[in-house]
Amino acid sequence: MRIVNRIALILNIIGGINWGLIGLFQFDLVAWIFGGQDAVMARIIYTLVGIAAVWCISLLFRNKMLDD
């Protein structure tokens, strides 16, 4: 589970940076890299970031966050 937790954390960091860029500069880095928001790869990245966020909710309720 430790690897899954780290992957989820990395994906959340990517999502956070992307949202920060959208908020500050109206620039969607994921869409820019993969050819638009409707591109298949961009949608996959958005979906993985969303799943990772849901996974990280469980980390809030664990005693050892990344050591599980």
Side-chain angles (χ1 to χ4, degrees), residues 10-22:
I10 290 167
L11 286 170
N12 274 289
I13 291 168
I14 290 168
I17 290 170
N18 195 54
W19 274 110
L21 289 171
I22 291 170

Side-chain angles (χ1 to χ4, degrees), residues 5 7 12-13 16 18 24 32 34 38-40 43-44 46 55 58-59 64 66:
N5 293 342
I7 291 170
N12 274 289
I13 291 168
N18 195 54
L24 292 173
W32 180 75
F34 295 109
D38 293 331
V40 173
R43 292 177 55 107
I44 290 170
Y46 295 139
W55 179 264
S58 71
L59 297 178
K64 300 179 199 174
L66 295 177

